[in-house]
Amino acid sequence: MFELLYILSYFFNPMSFLGVIGVIVLIVITVRLSHRVSTLEDKVKMLSGGVSKKEETQQTFREPADAPGKVAPVQESGSPYSPEPKPITSAMRNTIDPSEAREPTAAELFGQWLKRDWLLKLGILLVLIGMASFVTYAFLNDWIGPVGRITFGMVLGAAILAFGFWRMQTYVHQGGAFLVLGSTTLIITIFSGFIVYGFFSPVSLALALVFVSAAFVAAASVQHRVYALAVSSLILASVAPILVFLSAALGGTDITSAIPLEIGIYAYLMAVVLGSVWVTALTGWRSLNTMAAIILFLYSLPLWEYGGIHEQALLVFAFVFGAIFFITNTAGIIKKHDQSIAAPLTTAIINALFLVIWIFDVVPDHFQSLIIAAWMLVYVVGAFLVFRVTDRRSPFYVYGMVGVGLLALATGVELGHSPTALMIAYTIESALVPVVVYTVTRNFRVAKSLTLLFIGPIVLSFSAIGSFSRQATVFNEHFIALVVLAGVLASSGFILYRHHQSNPDESTAKYAMAWLVISSIYVFVLTWMSLHIALTVGYIATMLSLVVYTVAGLVAYTVGGVKEQVSLRIYGGVLLIFVVGRLLLVDVWSMDITGKIITFVLVGLLLMSTAFIGRTSKKAGESGAPADEPTY
């Protein structure tokens, strides 16, 4: 504590102090202006019969997400709205939709913290500066020894903590501020004694004292239902490992003990996570678990970067962390299925990423795909369980997509040595995902959107095309992979098109056309390369390929005209323009005279045949059309 005050005494000289005061004043002015704007918005909403933002914040600042404390102003005769929000009764409480309740955002919490009792907070800052000056003078004159400094800091922190707890019985917000101040004082004192003087050794003792201090704040937040205080306790608890890492990096007091440092840190974080789960279970503040997952992820970064001899033990910790977050998230979604699920789903994604990094970092290569597949099954089963119990699609989609991502990783690890096998597996998996989703949810719109997973196999196909062009035979693994992809794309496009016919939808038609066109491109590429591989005479292969393209273009153009399908007609026209353009710009210069004559004549005859397709003989003047006008 004294060391911190000693450092503050150098930074808080008169000029820097005025700068800090100026910043505080600017922040207060900004917040007050924001508050005035919010007040105007609230009045507009109240006049229109809506619920104001201020009331929503009041409902959630001191209450769990499932127990709002106020309702919208009740209209009275003779006035457009009630001047004061009225507390709810037991009968009114049953009419509130829990889904409307929400947890306050970080900006709202900061604004509330800054506006309420700002003079108290400014006074605390001034007291700290005054104590810093006193401690500086005492240090220079050697009035206080190491034991006295640490003892005084511990006694002062405990006294402030006790005073804050007592104050919360009457004034919750003021007491919470003193609780945070007291806990912060204790934590700084503990690590000052640990790092500078070697007190509280080994490191496990220092961590235990810090955890107890933060847990006291967390218990107070649960008792008085103060969300901001719960967040503060989590932040305070998460500071301790930073100080331990800092001490190790600076080569300070020996922090070795019977437990290795990495395992000790993870054991401490396990206690922090379990504490967060406990608070969440009692209050319903599920964003605390998200914060705990982020803290765990950040502390794991140096362990992933530098590794260590205890990686196997840390991997066990990682799997336990993964199980805790998965179980608590799933249980929270099922228990409170009528509330927002943004926080638990964010936690699910962070948790999956955390597990994957540990698996790739520690697990041997030949076991990675098996373990990733196991976690994939966990998420997939969780997705079906949540959907069956809650009938909510959002958690099913997110859990399902996490499972699909893990499946893709497992497939990539297992088949990474064979790009074509990997491409075939990704193609089949990308086709099965929309089918499974539609079978379970009967939501065609989402299943249609999931066909975008084909982008992955399409990207992989570029390598397969290059490899296929260098083969000596047509039928090989690259040819099969491209055929499978073309067939799956064509089937998906056809299914979407049939659905569009029975349920007309412009979006579905675009998806269908996209996959059908892309599949046809693969067919044309396979035709070109297969003929050039199979035939020894190059101009014959080119001629046959262009003839196939011309026939396909004519068929599409004609059928599009007969059925009045503009998109199909445009597709055929573009294909014919491509053939003619290649003949005039490329083949006219590269082909020998024989190939040029045969190719140009065949293509020309095919184009001329359009004069006799889809037309009927008419006498001039009949039906108001000349005899040679098409009658599609």
Side-chain angles (χ1 to χ4, degrees), residues 260 319 432 574:
F319 287 163
L432 288 177
V574 170

Side-chain angles (χ1 to χ4, degrees), residues 2 145-157 189 199-200:
F2 285 99
V147 176
R149 299 168 188 173
I150 300 303
T151 302
F152 182 79
M154 294 289 292
V155 172
L156 179 63
T189 301
F199 299 159
F200 310 109

Side-chain angles (χ1 to χ4, degrees), residues 136-387:
T136 301
Y137 188 77
F139 278 8
L140 293 176
N141 293 274
D142 199 20
W143 288 358
I144 306 176
V147 176
R149 299 168 188 173
I150 300 303
T151 302
F152 182 79
M154 294 289 292
V155 172
L156 179 63
I160 297 175
L161 203 64
F163 176 76
F165 187 79
W166 172 79
R167 188 67 173 170
M168 284 192 74
Q169 309 304 317
T170 307
Y171 300 97
V172 175
H173 184 75
Q174 293 181 2
F178 282 108
L179 275 178
V180 173
L181 175 62
S183 181
T184 304
T185 303
L186 282 173
I187 291 174
I188 294 174
T189 301
I190 291 169
F191 275 96
S192 295
F194 174 73
I195 296 174
V196 179
Y197 303 117
F199 299 159
F200 310 109
S201 184
V203 66
S204 56
L205 176 59
L207 291 176
L209 292 174
V210 171
F211 181 79
V212 171
S213 174
F216 187 81
V217 179
S221 72
V222 173
Q223 179 180 352
H224 296 279
R225 290 297 192 269
V226 182
Y227 175 76
L229 200 57
V231 175
S232 300
S233 67
L234 182 60
I235 295 174
L236 290 172
S238 65
V239 170
I242 296 178
L243 299 176
V244 173
F245 281 129
L246 180 62
S247 176
L250 296 177
T253 303
D254 185 13
I255 61 175
T256 58
S257 62
I259 302 176
L261 176 61
E262 298 87 350
I263 296 179
I265 295 297
Y266 256 31
Y268 176 81
L269 292 175
M270 178 66 70
V272 173
V273 169
L274 291 176
S276 172
V277 170
W278 171 72
V279 174
T280 301
L282 295 178
T283 62
W285 298 328
R286 293 179 290 180
S287 58
L288 292 177
N289 283 343
T290 305
M291 298 178 191
I294 295 174
I295 291 170
L296 175 64
F297 189 92
L298 293 177
Y299 273 121
S300 300
L301 292 177
L303 301 178
W304 293 328
E305 179 69 21
Y306 302 108
I309 61 176
H310 306 290
E311 286 184 335
Q312 298 297 331
L314 295 177
L315 180 64
V316 176
F317 271 103
F319 287 163
V320 175
F321 280 124
I324 290 174
F325 284 123
F326 177 81
I327 293 172
T328 55
N329 276 337
T330 305
I333 293 173
I334 294 175
K335 182 180 179 180
K336 299 182 180 298
H337 58 272
D338 54 352
Q339 295 182 11
S340 171
I341 58 173
L345 294 186
T346 303
T347 307
I349 296 174
I350 296 174
N351 187 38
L353 183 60
F354 170 79
L355 291 170
V356 167
I357 295 177
W358 265 116
I359 291 171
F360 279 116
D361 191 56
V362 179
V363 176
D365 295 344
H366 53 282
F367 286 125
Q368 289 179 356
S369 61
L370 182 62
I371 296 178
I372 294 175
W375 280 106
M376 178 270 298
L377 290 176
V378 170
Y379 271 94
V380 170
V381 171
F384 280 99
L385 177 63
V386 170
F387 180 76

Side-chain angles (χ1 to χ4, degrees), residues 444 448 492-513 516 564-565 567:
F444 186 83
K448 171 187 63 181
S492 300
F494 180 73
I495 293 172
L496 293 172
Y497 177 72
R498 291 294 300 271
H499 187 274
H500 168 67
Q501 285 185 319
S502 57
N503 300 278
D505 177 67
E506 183 178 355
S507 175
T508 303
K510 291 180 179 179
Y511 273 87
M513 179 59 66
L516 288 173
E564 297 182 352
Q565 295 182 354
S567 57

